Amino acid sequence: MAEQKSLHRKLSELSSNLWWSWQPEVSEIFRQLEPTRWSELMHNPVVLLKEYTEERLEQRATEMALHSRIHAAYRRWNKYMESAETWGQTHADLLAFKPVAYFSAEFGIHESLPIYSGGLGVLAGDHLKSSSDLGIPLVGVGLFYREGYFSQNIDDNGWQKEIYNENVISELPIKPACDKSGQQVEISVETRWGAIFARVWHIQVGRIPLYLLDTNVEKNSDEIRNLTSRLYGGDHRTRIRQEIVLGIGGVRALAKLGIEPSVIHLNEGHSAFAALDVIRQKMHDDGMSFNDALRETAAMSVFTTHTPVPAGHDRFGGDLINEHVGPLGDQLGLNYDGLMGLGRVNPQDHGEPFTMTVLAFKLSRHANAVSSLHGVVSRRMWASLWPWQSEDELPIGHITNGVHMGTWLAPQMRSIYDRVLPEKWYTRSGEPDTWAGVKNIIPSELWETHQTQKHRLIVYARSRLVKQAKRYGASQDEIDALSKVLDPFALLVGFARRFAPYKRADLLLRDLDVLAELITNTKQPVQFVFAGKSHPADDHGKAILQRIHRITQQEPFKGRIVLLEDYDINLGRHLVQGVDVWLNNPRRPLEASGTSGQKVILNGGLNCSILDGWWAEAFDGKNGFAIGSGRTHVNSDIQDDRDAEYLRNVLRNEVIPLYYDRDADDLPLEWINRMKRSIRTLGWRFNADRQVMDYVRHTYVPSAGGLSCKMP
Ligand SMILES: *Cc1c(COP(=O)(O)O)cnc(C)c1O
């Protein structure tokens, strides 16, 4: 029966579920339909298929011999969606009828859906995908940003320009989220001046539904219609309004959809108002007192704090809180001080603003940081919330982040693993035993595969550089030069992330003489590729970007240090699959986890990183490189100078010599050993499957259980 559907129908169905985005075979089918235009279509199959009638698709599929591949992909997808034999089936049974509701202000699932800015969003996307693969009953809740985050242009002066493109519903795999009567769900949140209305959209990510709220409805004033148009745009007022829609609106949307979550997982304080609305529901629906409802809500709430950087912790004054959360406070029977007290470390301190992170800690029984070191830092940072407890007894644990293998692993590397790892290793990639066979990988084969990937990255980088240069009217000579930059046989170091100042993208530039010496060494050259966006309001970050841009235009750095515009999931995938070394040099201990370095592991790249975030618990002396020893200094200038020197030293004394230490066949055997050790010791741990399994075992199941055994 399934076979009788037309090709067009099958591909449309496949394109309507983002499952395809982590199946290289399926994206390859779409690419084959339009090989030259697939990238300009932003890898968006919904747009691509709109251009095809059934007849034209049949004809094109015949030309490209795609029929059996389309049928096979469709069958595989159906099997995936129906499969009952999952890890979740045995380990998350308790959640079967009442799923986990995962709240986040951003979700980074695929480049064609730009509603993310960086690590937090990509982590959320990876969490949904692993939950889907493992069969965990979970739903995502977020906001639909009509203009998303921006695309980045860098002008010829090196200054970032933000370009906002509209996300058009009909061009996305998105549909109205409907209630039982078939109506699109709409919710409202009261404020002191009236209600904010939002409608709800549905995106399917494998087995996991993601619900996105959108205030662009006619009932709202123009100002409120634009409330959810941009991610992290606007001032405090915009921010608190977005957060009441996400949190309070999100909980109401689930109720209208008939979803009763057993656990609410708050990611960052952004969504913490959700817990307040769960309290309201319990008081209203079950007649509980405020205190009982609070206790039950806390028992079912999991809070993950994702950064120690102050900008990640929203603080609101009493006026903004009263204006936007006052009506909910009234329903909870809280006066102004009672409401404000929930967001203050010290409720009696009338000068203290309302901190979303504090609210989240107070309303959840399970709280965690995102790496072991970040756990220590968070306990220190928030110790004053539990003045009667000592620091190591504080109720903040940690679950270290991981990345979704299917999304980030290059298909060629996957073929190697298919040969040396046990059957169906793919479904058990978050377990250590699965990876024992890595020692059997033949060094030359690993190296050749890595070189192929690296070459692919270099070709891609050149084409993007040429495109960038043409936009600024570069001469033919310049374009010819750009189409030859980067040498596939020279050590290639990648650095890409948000240009938040603490990430210190310019650390390497602190001593230009040494840098020049390293990159002009003709026997053992090193080259760098940079990418990253700065927040639109962060001029400091933009200035760092500009410095790097200027260096890339100067001799002797020109052509040996390149800067690629518009870092996104697509560029990220190319980079992590092709670099030799991934550089990470944040100011310790500000990188809570970091995840981009985890994406290079299974692709054979080596990490060279400050001992911060995940790397502080990952590095064992032989599975990558450490910059310094983890020392910090209260004066950040001194710390930066010292780290810059450690960085130069590790490059000069360890990374470069090891890379160029070749045997008679020109193979860097010791380097390859490090690649294998990195894959074997780190691949399973810093993996989103392991991460999701940890959340299930240590937070979701206990929280859901806590609900079912009510206190008498
Ligand atoms: C993985 C990823 C990030 C997170 O990188 P960090 O190293 O954690 O800063 C940010 N942006 C994109 C596009 C990513 O793919």
Side-chain angles (χ1 to χ4, degrees):
M1 289 161 298
E3 300 293 335
Q4 281 159 14
K5 288 183 179 167
S6 72
L7 287 186
H8 198 284
R9 177 70 193 275
K10 285 187 175 179
L11 284 182
S12 299
E13 285 185 36
L14 279 166
S15 73
S16 72
N17 183 326
L18 282 154
W19 175 83
W20 74 265
S21 71
W22 69 95
Q23 314 300 322
E25 305 94 288
V26 189
S27 20
E28 187 54 23
I29 293 172
F30 292 128
R31 200 186 65 80
Q32 295 263 317
L33 290 173
E34 289 290 336
T36 51
R37 294 184 49 241
W38 180 230
S39 90
E40 122 203 6
L41 293 168
M42 300 300 288
H43 302 162
N44 183 337
V46 177
V47 176
L48 184 149
L49 288 169
K50 276 191 168 187
E51 300 176 353
Y52 278 83
T53 58
E54 297 214 351
E55 296 72 41
R56 198 169 147 232
L57 186 68
E58 276 290 341
Q59 189 190 348
R60 181 75 184 142
T62 308
E63 273 167 34
M64 305 303 287
L66 295 175
H67 279 81
S68 60
R69 285 160 71 181
I70 295 172
H71 294 314
Y74 187 78
R75 267 198 307 274
R76 214 159 56 73
W77 175 52
N78 278 306
K79 212 170 139 200
Y80 176 91
M81 294 300 287
E82 286 156 14
S83 169
E85 286 161 33
T86 60
W87 186 89
Q89 187 77 13
T90 31
H91 294 84
D93 203 23
L94 199 57
L95 311 169
F97 299 102
K98 292 182 168 189
V100 174
Y102 183 102
F103 284 79
S104 175
E106 44 172 319
F107 285 89
I109 300 162
H110 186 255
E111 55 268 27
S112 60
L113 189 63
I115 55 168
Y116 62 94
S117 104
L120 183 68
V122 174
L123 184 81
D126 281 6
H127 196 96
L128 299 193
K129 293 170 189 172
S130 276
S131 297
S132 171
D133 289 346
L134 292 167
I136 310 300
L138 183 139
V139 303
V141 182
L143 296 178
F144 178 70
Y145 302 101
R146 195 159 29 91
E147 298 185 349
Y149 203 55
F150 64 94
S151 299
Q152 178 195 54
N153 275 1
I154 300 172
D155 69 17
D156 33 359
N157 207 8
W159 200 250
Q160 169 176 297
K161 291 274 172 296
E162 296 94 25
I163 296 165
Y164 290 89
N165 301 306
E166 187 160 345
N167 286 320
V168 182
I169 296 278
S170 65
E171 296 179 351
L172 293 170
I174 185 169
K175 56 181 200 255
C178 294
D179 60 18
K180 285 201 189 75
S181 69
Q183 292 293 313
Q184 180 166 23
V185 167
E186 191 177 295
I187 57 88
S188 64
V189 181
E190 310 74 37
T191 70
R192 290 287 182 217
W193 40 261
I196 294 177
F197 296 92
R199 55 184 168 173
V200 186
W201 300 103
H202 173 181
I203 289 182
Q204 193 66 28
V205 185
R207 299 177 173 110
I208 305 293
L210 168 60
Y211 298 107
L212 299 176
L213 289 92
D214 172 12
T215 59
N216 184 21
V217 297
E218 270 171 28
K219 281 192 228 170
N220 288 326
S221 65
D222 285 350
E223 187 189 359
I224 297 299
R225 288 187 76 156
N226 286 323
L227 176 61
T228 51
S229 53
R230 293 181 183 181
L231 170 60
Y232 303 146
D235 55 8
H236 274 63
R237 186 167 296 266
T238 308
R239 194 53 98 76
I240 192 171
R241 289 177 180 177
Q242 287 189 342
E243 293 183 2
I244 59 175
V245 173
L246 172 64
I248 302 170
V251 167
R252 293 178 184 177
L254 294 177
K256 288 209 170 171
L257 288 161
I259 297 170
E260 195 189 329
S262 58
V263 177
I264 56 172
H265 184 176
L266 309 171
N267 287 279
E268 267 331 15
H270 306 137
S271 54
F273 291 133
L276 281 185
D277 203 56
V278 174
I279 295 176
R280 180 197 58 82
Q281 277 183 351
K282 290 186 187 296
M283 292 171 70
H284 180 267
D285 299 352
D286 305 339
M288 286 186 195
S289 69
F290 174 77
N291 284 333
D292 285 349
L294 186 148
R295 199 175 316 119
E296 284 217 356
T297 301
M300 65 182 279
S301 301
V302 176
F303 171 51
T304 304
T305 176
H306 291 265
T307 181
V309 177
H313 302 272
D314 289 313
R315 290 181 161 81
F316 299 118
D319 288 350
L320 280 182
I321 290 290
N322 180 45
E323 183 182 337
H324 298 96
V325 198
L328 177 58
D330 297 345
Q331 285 184 284
L332 301 179
L334 296 172
N335 61 18
Y336 174 82
D337 284 330
L339 179 61
M340 286 299 288
L342 291 173
R344 285 178 177 150
V345 175
N346 175 5
Q348 268 74 51
D349 178 357
H350 295 277
E352 193 185 322
F354 188 102
T355 304
M356 294 302 283
T357 310
V358 172
L359 178 69
F361 276 122
K362 290 192 178 185
L363 297 186
S364 35
R365 178 134 5 115
H366 284 92
N368 70 282
V370 291
S371 73
S372 172
L373 178 61
H374 181 226
V376 175
V377 172
S378 300
R379 287 189 287 277
R380 190 163 307 156
M381 204 170 155
W382 300 104
S384 53
L385 276 170
W386 298 274
W388 57 90
Q389 276 175 330
S390 73
E391 214 167 273
D392 48 0
E393 286 170 353
L394 298 185
I396 307 176
H398 78 271
I399 293 178
T400 305
N401 287 342
V403 295
H404 180 249
M405 192 180 65
T407 299
W408 301 104
L409 179 61
Q412 278 96 331
M413 286 298 296
R414 192 174 157 170
S415 317
I416 296 190
Y417 300 141
D418 283 339
R419 265 170 275 145
V420 298
L421 302 186
E423 211 188 332
K424 295 222 179 140
W425 64 274
Y426 181 80
T427 59
R428 294 191 293 112
S429 71
E431 298 164 32
D433 299 347
T434 306
W435 297 92
V438 166
K439 59 182 181 308
N440 301 326
I441 299 176
I442 301 162
S444 58
E445 187 187 4
L446 183 57
W447 191 247
E448 285 309 317
T449 306
H450 170 66
Q451 280 298 118
T452 311
Q453 291 301 130
K454 181 173 171 184
H455 202 256
R456 195 170 155 256
L457 165 61
I458 289 175
V459 169
Y460 181 73
R462 288 171 180 165
S463 77
R464 286 189 62 146
L465 287 166
V466 166
K467 219 178 276 170
Q468 279 170 221
K470 279 187 178 158
R471 226 185 32 239
Y472 302 116
S475 68
Q476 193 55 43
D477 285 352
E478 281 172 283
I479 288 172
D480 289 345
L482 283 173
S483 51
K484 290 193 221 74
V485 296
L486 302 177
D487 173 0
F489 298 100
L491 175 61
L492 180 60
V493 179
F495 181 104
R497 43 186 55 78
R498 289 182 304 113
F499 268 46
Y502 80 89
K503 292 181 183 261
R504 301 190 298 191
D506 55 349
L507 192 69
L508 192 68
L509 275 48
R510 274 176 108 87
D511 187 334
L512 290 179
D513 293 338
V514 174
L515 184 61
E517 182 195 309
L518 293 178
I519 66 169
T520 55
N521 181 325
T522 46
K523 286 214 187 77
Q524 305 194 331
V526 47
Q527 45 195 357
F528 295 88
V529 49
F530 281 90
K533 293 177 182 174
S534 170
H535 185 278
D538 178 10
D539 281 350
H540 186 179
K542 289 187 192 179
I544 295 175
L545 190 71
Q546 188 174 42
R547 269 201 80 204
I548 293 175
H549 174 84
R550 293 210 166 129
I551 291 293
T552 65
Q553 305 300 306
Q554 280 168 26
E555 294 298 346
F557 307 105
K558 207 169 175 175
R560 295 174 166 121
I561 300 180
V562 303
L563 174 61
L564 299 177
E565 281 177 341
D566 205 22
Y567 179 45
D568 69 351
I569 289 177
N570 174 40
L571 179 54
R573 204 170 41 237
H574 279 87
L575 289 169
V576 300
Q577 294 179 352
V579 295
D580 296 307
V581 169
W582 193 253
L583 179 63
N584 178 41
N585 48 227
R587 192 177 295 135
R588 179 177 152 126
L590 295 181
E591 189 63 272
S593 166
T595 52
S596 58
Q598 301 174 346
K599 300 166 192 164
V600 308
I601 297 169
L602 293 177
N603 288 305
L606 291 180
N607 279 276
C608 176
S609 169
I610 295 277
L611 289 167
D612 196 12
W614 74 282
W615 192 239
E617 69 199 76
F619 180 62
D620 71 358
K622 290 206 175 86
N623 53 9
F625 305 94
I627 303 168
S629 58
R631 261 176 95 191
T632 58
H633 196 288
V634 286
N635 180 328
S636 60
D637 267 337
I638 296 178
Q639 186 171 339
D640 292 355
D641 273 336
R642 202 152 67 186
D643 286 346
E645 187 172 348
Y646 288 137
L647 171 57
R648 293 190 293 270
N649 287 344
V650 72
L651 288 174
R652 196 160 32 190
N653 303 334
E654 296 182 48
V655 180
I656 298 171
L658 197 71
Y659 184 83
Y660 287 106
D661 178 11
R662 303 300 171 103
D663 75 354
D665 298 326
D666 202 30
L667 284 182
L669 283 178
E670 277 310 312
W671 185 278
I672 296 170
N673 280 340
R674 254 180 219 233
M675 289 163 73
K676 286 167 73 167
R677 190 177 175 94
S678 158
I679 294 166
R680 191 167 49 79
T681 62
L682 305 175
W684 70 271
R685 275 172 76 195
F686 301 99
N687 184 306
D689 280 12
R690 190 275 310 147
Q691 168 199 304
V692 168
M693 293 190 288
D694 277 353
Y695 273 102
V696 169
R697 282 189 286 235
H698 303 307
T699 68
Y700 295 164
V701 166
S703 300
L707 194 67
S708 60
C709 49
K710 268 188 198 161
M711 306 287 276

